Amino acid sequence: VLAAVRAAGAEVVVVNVWATWCIPCREEFPALLRLRREYGERGVALLLVSGDVAADAAATRAFLAEQGVDFRTFLK
């Protein structure tokens, strides 16, 4: 993940560790995606790191798809 932060080429990299079972994480997700949309061209990058276990990878990917995440993310 550190290499991805360095490779982002952004002035600011927001790293968000979240999980599908975390209600506050799910609630803040739309705001994080809005931050990426509104400030991405100004040098802000968003890096998502899922804390879900590997057995929940399908649910994690489904949640990301529901949220419209179409950029590289990291799964535990």
Side-chain angles (χ1 to χ4, degrees):
V1 174
L2 184 57
V5 170
R6 290 180 178 148
E11 290 181 40
V12 175
V13 180
V14 177
V15 179
N16 181 261
V17 180
W18 64 282
T20 56
W21 48 263
C22 171
I23 301 303
C25 298
R26 295 173 68 99
E27 290 173 349
E28 74 180 358
F29 220 85
L32 290 167
L33 296 178
R34 193 169 40 257
L35 175 104
R36 180 179 185 268
R37 279 193 311 273
E38 293 178 9
Y39 294 96
E41 292 183 13
R42 297 186 201 171
V44 176
L46 174 62
L47 184 67
L48 299 172
V49 181
S50 170
D52 288 302
V53 295
D56 293 331
T60 303
R61 287 188 180 95
F63 176 78
L64 291 169
E66 289 169 12
Q67 296 296 315
V69 174
D70 59 356
F71 54 93
R72 184 178 181 199
T73 63
F74 294 87
L75 307 178
K76 180 175 173 184

